Amino acid sequence: MIIEEPVHQFLDNFCVAGINYRKSDISIRGKFSLLPEHSILLLEQAVQKKFPACMVLSTCNRTEIYGICDHPHQLIEMLCIHTHGNMKDFIEHGYQYKGLTTVEHLFKVAAGLDSQIIGDYEILSQIKLAASQAKKKNCLNSFMERVINYALQSSKEIKTTTKLSSGTVSVSFAAIEIIKERIADTHNKKILLVGTGKFGNHIGKNLKSYLSGSILLFTNRTDQKAFDLATECGGNFVPYANLAPAAADADVIIVSSASEKYTILSSYFTGSKARLILDLSVPQNVDPSVKDIEGITLLNVDEISVILDKTISLRQAEVPKAMEIINKTMLDLCTWYRKQAINPLLRMVKTQLYEISEVHLTNQAFEEKIHKAVSSLAIQLHQQNNKGCQCITALSSYLHMN
């Protein structure tokens, strides 16, 4: 288990190492993507290395490791160990931050300001899931948990008081809009969802809500998960062993599986039937050669995001408002942090005042003197940095009280 240390020691060593859509395309991001089982192995390694805290955030647009360590390079090394990425590619395409810069980055990510589709609110559930996974592996200490809670609080306020997330707010919903734009009549069209994990669940529920006239089909490597979602959404369960014929028969295929190998192959398709295939997976789970088959339109997650750029200009106007909220919440976090930093000192001073007092501790007058001296010291410590002089001042103040 990770050993908990005083909260006030952690901010300077709060680091992040990540790679996202800004400097890397889907092929590079695919190299650094972390499957769930690899994320767990990475967290277990962080425990072995005695990191005070660590969290893994892996989505279609980014892979990030947050941790409390001496230098972000330690996080980069772990990322390269547990993915197909290497240090050279990371240095060229990745980023690393430390201290308050890491905090600000996390706040922006949680608010959707750093998403490929700005204002993508789906990232919030992904952060919650990442934090939950870290906590289960004993990798979430009180400091990082508090920072994450502040980030979620800020994101919620931005969601409710700005228009940053107006219109299409996630890739999963974007898939629905693209289907509606590309297919004039979706009634009785067969839509096959491949992959029914956390992300697939969002897509399945959107399909049920917005394309209810379609014939919905669900498949997953774990059959039970696909069966459960099909039941919940009023769709049809397709055993994973029947993926190839189901794909050949479908009009629309949405792929949200998390596989290191291609899930949809060109050999599945014959003839020139018109099909729309949306590959929302990172790394790509549809063989790119499928795009060359007559009648098939294949779009990956980057191409889908470009299509949705029409919403960006409207949301950009809300960015300053969102940053005001982030800055205010970061100020609240810093205030909390300063309190954690001075609390050990205040406790020490209070103990010393009791020790030098010659009056029994039940004497209320002297209790009040000690409380007043410590309170005065707390105010001074919030305003200045010279703790040694302030301790002397507090002791002197106490000794000269009437």
Side-chain angles (χ1 to χ4, degrees):
M1 178 182 294
I2 289 178
I3 299 173
E4 188 79 17
E5 297 179 21
V7 169
H8 68 274
Q9 297 179 4
F10 294 129
L11 180 57
D12 290 344
N13 290 328
F14 184 37
C15 303
V16 63
I19 190 162
N20 65 19
Y21 70 96
R22 292 186 185 276
K23 291 177 64 179
S24 61
D25 60 20
I26 193 169
S27 63
I28 295 294
R29 295 203 306 279
K31 291 181 181 180
F32 288 94
S33 66
L34 279 161
L35 296 174
E37 55 268 31
H38 295 159
S39 294
I40 291 172
L41 290 174
L42 191 151
L43 292 174
E44 290 174 349
Q45 185 182 9
V47 174
Q48 293 170 2
K49 288 178 173 290
K50 300 189 185 305
F51 286 0
C54 186
M55 180 179 78
V56 177
L57 180 62
S58 186
T59 74
C60 59
N61 290 329
R62 72 184 63 249
T63 299
E64 295 180 337
I65 307 176
Y66 294 85
I68 297 172
C69 54
D70 294 332
H71 198 280
H73 281 175
Q74 294 171 280
L75 304 179
I76 300 170
E77 288 172 358
M78 290 199 302
L79 180 60
C80 291
I81 288 171
H82 293 282
T83 67
H84 295 295
N86 57 63
M87 188 65 71
K88 179 178 177 296
D89 282 339
F90 185 91
I91 295 303
E92 182 178 353
H93 300 282
Y95 48 88
Q96 52 185 295
Y97 306 123
K98 193 174 184 181
L100 273 175
T101 307
T102 301
V103 175
E104 183 179 34
H105 176 74
L106 176 59
F107 275 43
K108 288 180 178 178
V109 171
L113 289 174
D114 197 57
S115 296
Q116 194 163 18
I117 302 173
I118 189 170
D120 185 347
Y121 204 62
E122 200 165 272
I123 188 66
L124 209 58
S125 63
Q126 294 164 334
I127 291 175
K128 290 178 181 178
L129 182 63
S132 175
Q133 185 181 58
K135 195 164 188 174
K136 286 178 182 176
K137 303 303 292 186
N138 295 314
C139 286
L140 199 65
N141 68 356
S142 58
F143 169 79
M144 189 180 288
E145 189 165 18
R146 179 60 69 100
V147 173
I148 292 168
N149 286 337
Y150 270 107
L152 298 178
Q153 170 191 323
S154 173
S155 177
K156 183 177 180 180
E157 185 175 350
I158 290 169
K159 170 72 173 177
T160 56
T161 63
T162 75
K163 296 179 181 178
L164 188 71
S165 296
S166 61
T168 300
V169 296
S170 69
V171 171
S172 64
F173 186 70
I176 306 301
E177 287 203 342
I178 289 172
I179 292 170
K180 291 166 72 174
E181 287 178 3
R182 299 294 179 104
I183 300 177
D185 183 10
T186 59
H187 186 71
N188 284 332
K189 288 290 191 294
K190 294 180 180 178
I191 301 178
L192 173 65
L193 175 62
V194 182
T196 57
K198 184 78 174 179
F199 188 36
N201 262 262
H202 285 296
I203 299 169
K205 290 169 185 176
N206 281 334
L207 289 171
K208 176 186 177 183
S209 298
Y210 299 101
L211 298 174
S212 57
S214 304
I215 299 171
L216 305 181
L217 307 163
F218 300 86
T219 191
N220 190 74
R221 278 180 295 179
T222 304
D223 283 344
Q224 187 62 47
K225 286 186 177 181
F227 179 83
D228 292 343
L229 186 59
T231 302
E232 182 179 354
C233 296
N236 302 295
F237 162 64
V238 175
Y240 197 71
N242 297 338
L243 172 60
D249 191 44
D251 300 291
V252 178
I253 303 172
I254 304 175
V255 185
S256 65
S257 49
S259 173
E260 293 183 298
K261 298 180 179 179
Y262 294 136
T263 304
I264 303 297
L265 307 176
S266 57
S267 59
Y268 292 175
F269 307 104
T270 57
S272 57
K273 176 180 176 178
R275 296 182 185 86
L276 173 63
I277 303 178
L278 306 178
D279 187 0
L280 308 184
S281 307
V282 178
Q284 295 176 92
N285 275 196
V286 179
D287 186 338
S289 66
V290 168
K291 198 168 211 170
D292 299 328
I293 299 174
E294 185 181 355
I296 290 182
T297 299
L298 170 62
L299 299 175
N300 64 36
V301 69
D302 285 351
E303 292 167 326
I304 291 170
S305 297
V306 169
I307 290 172
L308 294 169
D309 275 349
K310 62 185 180 182
T311 65
I312 300 302
S313 59
L314 297 175
R315 297 184 180 189
Q316 286 289 356
E318 299 296 301
V319 171
K321 298 176 187 176
M323 285 306 304
E324 284 183 16
I325 294 171
I326 286 176
N327 291 335
K328 177 178 71 68
T329 311
M330 284 188 65
L331 184 60
D332 292 341
L333 172 62
C334 288
T335 299
W336 167 81
Y337 174 76
R338 284 196 298 271
K339 287 181 180 179
Q340 308 313 304
I342 66 174
N343 281 344
L345 179 61
L346 293 176
R347 285 194 293 269
M348 179 193 73
V349 171
K350 189 173 185 178
T351 299
Q352 291 178 345
L353 291 177
Y354 277 129
E355 289 175 353
I356 65 174
S357 175
E358 297 178 357
V359 181
H360 196 273
L361 295 181
T362 58
N363 187 308
Q364 187 174 355
F366 277 83
E367 288 277 1
E368 291 177 355
K369 283 177 63 177
I370 291 173
H371 177 73
K372 189 178 294 184
V374 173
S375 297
S376 176
L377 174 60
I379 293 172
Q380 293 178 56
L381 287 172
H382 279 302
Q383 296 174 345
Q384 303 174 30
N385 293 317
N386 194 340
K387 296 180 182 178
C389 291
Q390 289 162 15
C391 287
I392 295 172
T393 300
L395 292 170
S396 176
S397 174
Y398 168 77
L399 292 171
H400 287 85
M401 284 181 182
N402 293 324

